[in-house]
Amino acid sequence: MAAESVAHRLTAQHRPTLDKALEVIRTRAYWSPHPEHPKAYGENGSLDAAAGKAAFDALRGTRLDLGQPGTDDWVGGEVSPYGIELGVTYPHPDIDVLLPAMRAGQRAWREAGPEVRAVVCLEILKRISDRTHEFAHAVMHTSGQAFMMALQAGGPHAQDRGLEAVAYAYAEQTRTPDRAEWTKPQGKRDPLVLTKTFTAVPRGVALVIGCNTFPTWNGYPGLFASLATGNAVLVKPHPRAVLPLALTVAIAREVLAEAGFAADLVALAAERPGEGLAKTLATRPEIRIIDYTGSTSFGDWLETHAHQAQVYTEKAGVNTVLVHSTDDYKGMLANLAFSLSLYSGQMCTTPQNLLIPREGITTDAGAKTYDEVATDLAKAVEGLLGDDARANALLGALVNPDVKARLEAASGLGEVALASREVAHPEFPEAVVRTPVLVKLDGAKPDAEAAYLSECFGPVSFAVAVDSTDDALALLRRTIREKGAMTVGAYTTSPEVEEAVEEVCLEECAQLSLNLTGGVYVNQTAAFSDFHGSGGNPAANAALCDAAFVAGRFRTVEVRRP
Amino acid sequence: MAAESVAHRLTAQHRPTLDKALEVIRTRAYWSPHPEHPKAYGENGSLDAAAGKAAFDALRGTRLDLGQPGTDDWVGGEVSPYGIELGVTYPHPDIDVLLPAMRAGQRAWREAGPEVRAVVCLEILKRISDRTHEFAHAVMHTSGQAFMMALQAGGPHAQDRGLEAVAYAYAEQTRTPDRAEWTKPQGKRDPLVLTKTFTAVPRGVALVIGCNTFPTWNGYPGLFASLATGNAVLVKPHPRAVLPLALTVAIAREVLAEAGFAADLVALAAERPGEGLAKTLATRPEIRIIDYTGSTSFGDWLETHAHQAQVYTEKAGVNTVLVHSTDDYKGMLANLAFSLSLYSGQMCTTPQNLLIPREGITTDAGAKTYDEVATDLAKAVEGLLGDDARANALLGALVNPDVKARLEAASGLGEVALASREVAHPEFPEAVVRTPVLVKLDGAKPDAEAAYLSECFGPVSFAVAVDSTDDALALLRRTIREKGAMTVGAYTTSPEVEEAVEEVCLEECAQLSLNLTGGVYVNQTAAFSDFHGSGGNPAANAALCDAAFVAGRFRTVEVRRP
């Protein structure tokens, strides 16, 4: 089929989805075109559970040849947190060859316009969605997420975030019309008349620097926002989580080529161990946009040194839950227990510090002392994770040895309210599965500060005793301001305290969840409705997804003619 | 009147104007609520010519006490390019007192919401508009612009750009609803239900660093974009052009106070000679947004060092007009002559390099050699400026001695096609008024490159001889890429050349005007319709005005409740 008719077909097929996405980013209502249930896959060309597993297994031990120009080596070496060797090798780029090749396709991609770019992006997402089960294994065996989470967060939720970015990109590029007639009256003389055309033009080549824990979920927003705004996109995955993004790049290249565009508009930059390729790429003049998820130190380095690029970062923060009072003590404990356990606390949104008044809290089950709250929460976690099968399904595996080391060190920081235990994984005996640790710290003691005011990424939380609600609010404010926060939670039945917590979050710019006691957790956000991060505190300089996330990825060139 | 009813009255009064502005930034049609004709003022509370002049005269020799906290000195010393001493003194800030005072008003300003903030901004603009004649003198006697230009560019055109920024800010803040109900189906179980609120929150204190030549026109977009998005705004004017922005600050403080908000949300930071206050302010942690117009060196410094802030810069560029062919030779010459003369070439948008083929061009008046084009353009400028009264009305005065020095040095750079002449100013004999110089340079000679590839700000243009159209296109591309450009012009009757120039501008990201022969000039842009700069080449990192210019000035904080 000719390229033009492919574009036409894709528009007919995907325009309704785009329109719905454009509607929900305005209403913020619930919506997703990507099913969460594993059994929803298997029809209309999508892989079911068995086929997805088989596809993943077939990838192991192979060379993933993406057909990229300037490939000077084959690199790999990913080892699953579940212990299996993936054995996949990927192209290593000669960037002096690859970058010019990527730019070669940009004119046609720019000329295609915002709508065609959007529907091509939606076709890429559709084919990724069809292979959700295959991606689930790829995400599981790189991030250490349990299978169900890898399927949902690495599949439909990531695809939703990609689609959301495409919708924002389309909306932003089409706010200015393609063409305008401008007529300025001149009194009795003839008016001044100009015809003006406006074209969205890309910045250049965009770089996506992937992370270990959520390669697709954190990678897709930047990838699709940049591609939909006309940029070529170079994906530099985390060396421990290459496969999910390599598959993504392969699908993108396939769709682009089928639609008549240059496959090289999207390419992979896998690296040799210790090569530090991200640093080299980040300051290349061709790289005009960078999306990064990872450590604060490298995020800060990018913000300081990559002056030639628009830099969007998600770094580390210290997430706080302020516990003041509740009318559903059991629900609160259950909700917190789940939040602390999910993916072994290896989410950038997992609560770390639980601020609990020293004199205790009021609840529907009577007054509870600080010690009782800590003990009851420990029991709730133990109850939730008492069964090994359930624990494995919730916790997943520790993603790397650093997390394990931090977990082991944490119990020396204070009195342990809940000790971590090892959970055996029947299918993957090498997986390191650990339940979370809860450590009691005195918020008034200066020596405890070093612990609770640092991010301790992994299954480590602190029950921090505070002298008063005012102290809790002050500590919350200071934590957000100095350390950043992806999420803040609070439990209170007092309208005054609720307002005070809200005011701190508004002033310090953090996303707040209040009194969550049911099936929504502080560490989970839904695309199209929830913002992930605020972009206004040190944890991240961007939010997923808003207009600021896309508006700088393109520029508008105007041509005026009489 | 109580604050709430003031807000109500302002909404009733200004909402239709806001709605119209919101409409035209989408259609890009011609519109302005601010009259250009000097005689349009004098009714409905606006000052007519005589009253405006009297108001300006009354300001001379006075202390402009803005009632700002933390004033530790009074500074001044502006001298008009027309030779008169202004003698106005302004508050010098103790920033450790002023900055906290500015932040104190932010909560109420945030809580007012986007619509009230917008209509308060529109009331500020309305009162500025009423005093357009007074501002005209203030702009004239700081920038050196001739009166009519000071009135139009410093008055209605600047007010338009301010209003445009308010409209973009309002549109961006209201894309997300204040509140949403989110219901996620859970199969047979009860759905998950959340109520979500979304609040636009400011970054902090915004800093506007004003310029000498267009204090209001270049200052208003950033000032109003930041204020409308909830930030406090500190205005640091150029030491030679304080008065127009000081009056602006005074009006803003008056309107804010009347509407029940803290006057200190807008403040002035005038400086002592050589103090370098901009540098001190730019890296203060309280300053989260910076708008800057001025030299490339300080703009680059801000982009590199003010990491804590969103930095929007308009720096220097080298503007090019490619002359290939025309079907209106006379019109082309007249149009270019006007563009080179207006405000003595002291616009960031004035063409500097005219690329003319060595073998000449085709025109409706027959073939013209390179020498003939240069000579005919020189004659056109001489004809335009032959009459001293008209020359004074078009040229204005040289803004500072540096411009005069560059002008004098320029005639040593090559063969002078048009010599600059002194024009006597009958009213202001001390004004330095000079007609532009046009110097012939050989584009193929490496020693000429240093001249035509540097910005020579002022009434200096180069007729650069090029070997071919391809050479001209290559030089245009190189100039934009390496030096930046606020504007590009081209004259051609060839569709192929037109397409090639357009492609260079799309790829290098520069705003292009084609075949202007009438009353629209390459150096003028109209708010609501034309983008000023592209933000995509080295001349500026932002465009006036688009969503990217406002979207990063606020963040959205979400609060979720079951």
Side-chain angles (χ1 to χ4, degrees), chain B residues 185-431:
Chain B
Q186 297 290 292
K188 291 170 190 163
R189 286 172 293 149
D190 286 342
L192 300 174
V193 180
L194 289 176
T195 297
K196 305 179 179 189
T197 59
F198 301 95
T199 307
V201 303
R203 287 272 184 190
V205 181
L207 174 66
V208 174
I209 304 175
C211 69
N212 197 173
T213 48
F214 290 91
T216 56
W217 199 98
N218 277 103
Y220 285 2
L223 192 166
F224 284 99
S226 288
L227 190 59
T229 47
N231 302 279
V233 182
L234 181 59
V235 179
K236 207 297 290 172
H238 191 283
R240 290 169 169 275
V242 182
L243 186 56
L245 288 174
L247 292 176
T248 303
V249 168
I251 292 170
R253 292 175 62 86
E254 173 188 291
V255 172
L256 283 163
E258 283 178 30
F261 298 102
D264 295 333
L265 285 166
V266 177
L268 186 76
E271 64 187 320
R272 301 189 186 93
E275 182 178 357
L277 185 55
K279 217 162 183 167
T280 307
L281 288 169
T283 52
R284 287 280 298 210
E286 299 93 334
I287 300 294
R288 302 299 308 279
I289 301 169
I290 299 174
D291 285 275
Y292 169 75
T293 310
S295 71
T296 295
S297 59
F298 192 57
D300 288 347
W301 186 91
L302 288 170
E303 291 173 19
T304 310
H305 291 89
H307 295 128
Q308 87 293 353
Q310 309 282 311
V311 179
Y312 304 89
T313 59
E314 184 187 319
K315 302 173 287 186
V318 173
N319 303 318
T320 300
V321 176
L322 189 146
V323 183
H324 171 267
S325 52
T326 178
D327 58 10
D328 181 2
Y329 188 56
K330 209 175 145 189
M332 178 185 89
L333 294 172
N335 190 282
L336 282 175
F338 188 94
S339 286
L340 301 186
S341 303
L342 185 64
Y343 187 28
S344 312
Q346 298 171 121
M347 300 174 74
C348 58
T349 50
T350 304
Q352 174 177 308
N353 294 342
L354 313 175
L355 311 189
I356 305 166
R358 204 180 297 283
E359 74 268 28
I361 67 171
T362 58
T363 82
D364 58 319
K368 301 289 175 185
T369 65
Y370 164 81
D371 284 330
E372 283 171 332
V373 175
T375 305
D376 291 343
L377 180 57
K379 280 185 197 154
V381 174
E382 282 169 349
L384 180 69
L385 304 176
D387 172 67
D388 275 8
R390 192 167 168 194
N392 275 310
L394 262 181
L395 293 168
L398 298 192
V399 66
N400 63 46
D402 292 348
V403 175
K404 190 179 166 208
R406 270 194 299 271
L407 169 64
E408 284 164 358
S411 48
L413 296 170
E415 184 191 338
V416 174
L418 170 68
S420 174
R421 74 175 177 93
E422 294 185 25
V423 180
H425 199 296
E427 192 181 354
F428 300 106
E430 289 177 54

Side-chain angles (χ1 to χ4, degrees), chain A residues 25-31 36 103 107 110-111 157 167-168 171-172 175-177 179-186 192-194 196-199 201-203 288 303-305 307 310 481 498-499 502-503 505-527 529-537 541-543 546-549 551-552 554-562, chain B residues 25-31 36 103 107 110-111 157 167-168 171-172 175-177 179-186 192-194 196-199 201-203 288 303-305 307 310 481 498-499 502-503 505-527 529-537 541-543 546-549 551-552 554-562:
Chain A
I25 60 174
R26 282 192 305 270
T27 65
R28 315 304 290 183
Y30 170 76
W31 178 67
E36 280 180 322
R103 289 168 63 138
R107 179 174 177 173
R110 181 194 82 218
E111 289 177 344
H157 299 171
Y168 269 100
E172 215 49 64
R175 286 178 73 173
T176 303
R179 189 186 171 92
E181 303 294 328
W182 181 86
T183 304
K184 180 175 179 180
Q186 296 290 291
L192 299 174
V193 180
L194 290 176
K196 305 178 179 189
T197 59
F198 301 94
T199 306
V201 303
R203 286 272 182 192
R288 302 299 308 281
E303 291 173 19
T304 310
H305 291 89
H307 295 128
Q310 310 282 310
R481 187 179 289 182
E498 182 172 323
E499 194 197 328
E502 196 170 350
E503 184 59 23
C505 289
L506 289 167
E507 289 185 355
E508 302 304 328
C509 207
Q511 309 299 13
L512 172 64
S513 297
L514 278 164
N515 298 317
L516 295 183
T517 54
V520 175
Y521 304 96
V522 65
N523 31 352
Q524 293 181 320
T525 63
S529 184
D530 294 323
F531 293 106
H532 174 73
S534 74
N537 70 56
N541 78 359
D546 61 9
F549 187 69
F554 70 98
R555 303 279 72 213
T556 303
V557 171
E558 175 184 353
V559 181
R560 308 192 290 185
R561 294 175 173 85
Chain B
I25 60 174
R26 282 193 305 268
T27 65
R28 315 304 290 182
Y30 169 77
W31 177 68
E36 280 181 320
R103 289 168 62 138
R107 178 172 179 173
R110 182 194 81 217
E111 288 177 344
H157 299 171
Y168 269 99
E172 214 51 62
R175 286 178 74 174
T176 303
R179 188 186 172 91
E181 303 295 330
W182 181 86
T183 304
K184 180 176 179 179
Q186 297 290 292
L192 300 174
V193 180
L194 289 176
K196 305 179 179 189
T197 59
F198 301 95
T199 307
V201 303
R203 287 272 184 190
R288 302 299 308 279
E303 291 173 19
T304 310
H305 291 89
H307 295 128
Q310 309 282 311
R481 188 179 290 182
E498 182 172 322
E499 195 197 327
E502 196 170 348
E503 184 58 24
C505 289
L506 289 167
E507 288 185 354
E508 302 304 328
C509 207
Q511 309 299 13
L512 171 64
S513 296
L514 278 164
N515 298 316
L516 296 183
T517 54
V520 175
Y521 303 96
V522 65
N523 30 352
Q524 294 181 319
T525 62
S529 184
D530 294 323
F531 292 108
H532 174 74
S534 74
N537 70 57
N541 79 359
D546 61 11
F549 187 70
F554 70 98
R555 303 278 73 213
T556 303
V557 170
E558 176 184 352
V559 181
R560 307 192 290 185
R561 293 175 173 86

